[in-house]
Amino acid sequence: MTVEELTRPVSRRVLGTETLLVLGLSLGQSAVYALVSIIAKLTADGPLSKQTAALNTSHSARPWLDLTYQLLGIVFALLPVLLAVHLLARDPGDPGRTLGVDLRRPGSDLARGAGLAALIGLPGLALFWAAAQLGVNATLVPAGLPDVWWAVPVLILAAAENAVLEEVIVVGYLVTRLRQLQWRLGAVLAASAVLRGSYHLYQGFGAFVGNAVMGVVFGLFYLRTKRVMPLIVAHTLLDVVAFVGYALLPKAWFSWL
């Protein structure tokens, strides 16, 4: 093999295969499992609204072992992110700047992230309430950890892990690759939004719609700013409020979920 063959541009076919593999190892796989989960719920005895979708559940009755499992799950869930960034490093330029996950604009990223969280969070609560009234969502349990000292720190780490994984893969990486594959803008946004909604299907159809809308907003934001960091901030804030709020506040406050 010659030097020219080793350094030639990557073909569209290779980029397409790479994209499918990255998704298959990460959130594409989650989407398939979520589809199977919603089918299982719909074909089970009882309506969807009487079934439960639990997040951040315990993995062992022994607290130290449970903590170990929780931390390992968070660490290994981030490996596809490192893979995606590594693959983007083959392109010209710094992948951190390509994705906008550097620390060049901390103040702006925090402010924009907080604004996006408010924009998405308040209508999102209304949508979840409406979905619950219509019976098209399962009963959501955002935090199922036992009452241990490490529960809140782990929930915060889980929120950050979700944000990094989803925003880097579903927005930064996927949008970048699909644009390189010469997809039309509308198709790129639709693919990113539908993928985001699909891996939330295990929660019900309201969660699918809400997250798909969030995907459109986040996708448009990224196309305009070329920065994923505000999306990570927004997503982390949303999940921290949901996870930690559920863990610390009276459960009666969340009966509408």
Side-chain angles (χ1 to χ4, degrees), residues 9-244:
V10 178
S11 68
R12 291 182 62 189
R13 179 179 179 182
V14 170
L15 283 182
T17 302
E18 174 204 294
T19 304
L20 290 175
L21 289 173
V22 170
L23 294 180
L25 291 171
S26 58
L27 293 164
Q29 179 183 147
S30 298
V32 173
Y33 277 106
L35 178 60
V36 173
S37 177
I38 192 66
I39 292 172
K41 286 181 172 67
L42 292 173
T43 55
D45 293 334
L48 178 60
S49 60
K50 299 300 182 183
Q51 300 182 59
T52 301
L55 290 71
N56 303 301
T57 55
S58 179
H59 298 298
S60 174
R62 290 178 284 178
W64 68 268
L65 188 56
D66 195 6
L67 175 59
T68 302
Y69 280 130
Q70 299 293 337
L71 294 177
L72 286 175
I74 291 169
V75 169
F76 283 113
L78 291 174
L79 288 182
V81 175
L82 297 178
L83 174 62
V85 173
H86 172 74
L87 292 169
L88 287 173
R90 297 178 310 183
D91 301 344
D94 176 16
R97 293 204 170 199
T98 298
L99 295 173
V101 291
D102 51 60
L103 299 177
R104 289 180 299 149
R105 307 173 187 173
S108 173
D109 290 341
L110 287 172
R112 288 180 169 187
L116 282 170
L119 176 67
I120 295 295
L122 297 178
L125 286 175
L127 179 60
F128 260 85
W129 179 85
Q133 303 309 303
L134 294 171
V136 295
N137 261 7
T139 299
L140 186 61
V141 179
L145 293 177
D147 185 15
V148 289
W149 67 266
W150 48 260
V152 169
V154 163
L155 290 172
I156 293 173
L157 287 175
E161 174 256 299
N162 287 344
V164 172
L165 174 64
E166 294 186 36
E167 304 316 325
V168 172
I169 297 290
V170 179
V171 180
Y173 173 80
L174 184 60
V175 168
T176 298
R177 283 295 187 242
L178 293 183
R179 293 293 283 169
Q180 290 175 325
L181 291 169
Q182 300 178 4
W183 282 37
R184 293 186 178 182
L185 181 59
V188 172
L189 286 173
S192 178
V194 170
L195 175 59
R196 186 187 295 268
S198 64
Y199 57 76
H200 288 92
L201 260 176
Y202 69 95
Q203 300 175 17
F205 298 105
F208 172 85
V209 172
N211 280 281
V213 172
M214 175 179 170
V216 172
V217 173
F218 277 21
L220 286 171
F221 179 91
Y222 177 69
L223 287 169
R224 181 179 178 84
T225 66
K226 301 301 181 184
R227 292 198 63 77
V228 168
M229 189 61 78
L231 306 181
I232 293 174
V233 171
H235 196 146
T236 300
L237 290 174
L238 290 170
D239 279 5
V240 166
V241 170
F243 297 168
V244 177

